[in-house]
Amino acid sequence: MEGTVFSPAIEGIKHVKSEEGEILTKSFLNVCQQILPVIDKFGAAMTLVKADIGGNITRLENKYLSDPVKFNHLYSMIRVEIEAKTAKASSSCTNGLLWLTRAMDFLVGLFHNLLKHKDWTMSQACTDSYTNTLKKWHGWLASSSFTIAMKLAPDRKKFMDVIEGAGDVHLDMERFCSTFSPLLEENHKFLASVGLDDLKAS
């Protein structure tokens, strides 16, 4: 494989937006999917996160596949749910996109910590990112499960070696964070504009 484990996602980000500047459903979900192999390298620590991300990708993908033309743009499925007054349902695509975006915020925060704090352990980097992203939206149960999972985080050096591949993993990590963050930001702005950015876990 050419490049690092981040290379496919970085390549994918270039195709996320339409010429009109709208986020395309399939391309956005592909990028999220392409980051799953990175999560795999964390082993047991990220089982919850991976299942959550995978489930939300599948939910949004199924909706997209039900009518690829209608749901070509990511926010079109949210608008349909808002009109139907189903956006706040726990099984809605709106909820799926919100939690997918939050989980990605967590990962970007984690990668950012690994770049910025060379002396932090993996567990420190995970916990700090969790506190800044997902924690305030999680109930007690999810929060406890997460805290326990973070204790299983792999050794930092081992993890970096595994994801290195053929390429500069630090540079790619930085590139991924800087190009993917604005898309997540856009999702939050859109969800906030329709009053749906602050739903908590049930």
Side-chain angles (χ1 to χ4, degrees), residues 5 12 61 86 98 114:
V5 77
E61 203 165 42
T86 56
L98 178 62
L114 291 175

Side-chain angles (χ1 to χ4, degrees), residues 1-192:
M1 183 186 93
E2 279 305 301
T4 66
V5 77
F6 288 98
S7 304
I10 293 168
E11 187 49 44
I13 290 170
K14 296 176 189 164
H15 310 290
V16 165
K17 289 202 160 180
S18 68
E19 284 173 11
E20 303 76 48
E22 288 251 18
I23 295 181
L24 299 167
T25 308
K26 183 109 185 78
S27 306
F28 178 76
L29 295 178
N30 282 348
V31 172
C32 296
Q33 191 93 45
Q34 278 154 343
I35 218 66
L36 290 179
V38 184
I39 306 176
D40 274 339
K41 310 290 185 231
F42 275 91
M46 290 286 176
T47 312
L48 283 169
V49 178
K50 191 181 175 201
D52 195 45
I53 291 174
N56 286 322
I57 291 175
T58 304
R59 181 188 305 184
L60 293 162
E61 203 165 42
N62 288 341
K63 184 73 167 174
Y64 164 76
L65 292 171
S66 72
D67 193 339
V69 176
K70 185 176 178 182
F71 299 124
N72 186 29
H73 293 151
L74 187 58
Y75 303 152
S76 56
M77 52 179 83
I78 313 302
R79 292 189 181 103
V80 165
E81 289 184 342
I82 291 166
E83 275 173 40
K85 304 213 177 336
T86 56
K88 289 187 176 176
S90 59
S91 60
S92 71
C93 287
T94 306
N95 212 9
L97 178 62
L98 178 62
W99 283 102
L100 179 57
T101 302
R102 286 174 179 169
M104 291 294 158
D105 285 336
F106 162 71
L107 290 175
V108 168
L110 165 58
F111 300 146
H112 195 74
N113 282 344
L114 291 175
L115 289 167
K116 208 164 95 182
H117 305 283
K118 303 277 187 262
D119 54 334
W120 281 14
T121 63
M122 186 60 94
S123 202
Q124 265 175 300
C126 287
T127 305
D128 177 80
S129 179
Y130 178 67
T131 305
N132 292 325
T133 55
L134 288 167
K135 192 174 175 148
K136 62 178 168 211
W137 307 113
H138 274 167
W140 180 81
L141 192 66
S143 203
S144 317
S145 315
F146 215 91
T147 310
I148 293 164
M150 288 306 111
K151 292 186 169 60
L152 304 170
D155 172 73
R156 178 180 176 140
K157 187 181 176 326
K158 269 191 198 143
F159 173 76
M160 294 307 272
D161 288 348
V162 167
I163 64 170
E164 184 92 46
D168 182 340
V169 75
H170 289 94
L171 187 69
D172 271 5
M173 205 182 259
E174 170 65 58
R175 211 178 276 159
F176 173 75
C177 291
S178 61
T179 49
F180 196 51
S181 294
L183 296 171
L184 299 176
E185 202 49 49
E186 208 169 308
N187 284 352
H188 282 302
K189 275 195 184 130
F190 173 76
L191 290 163

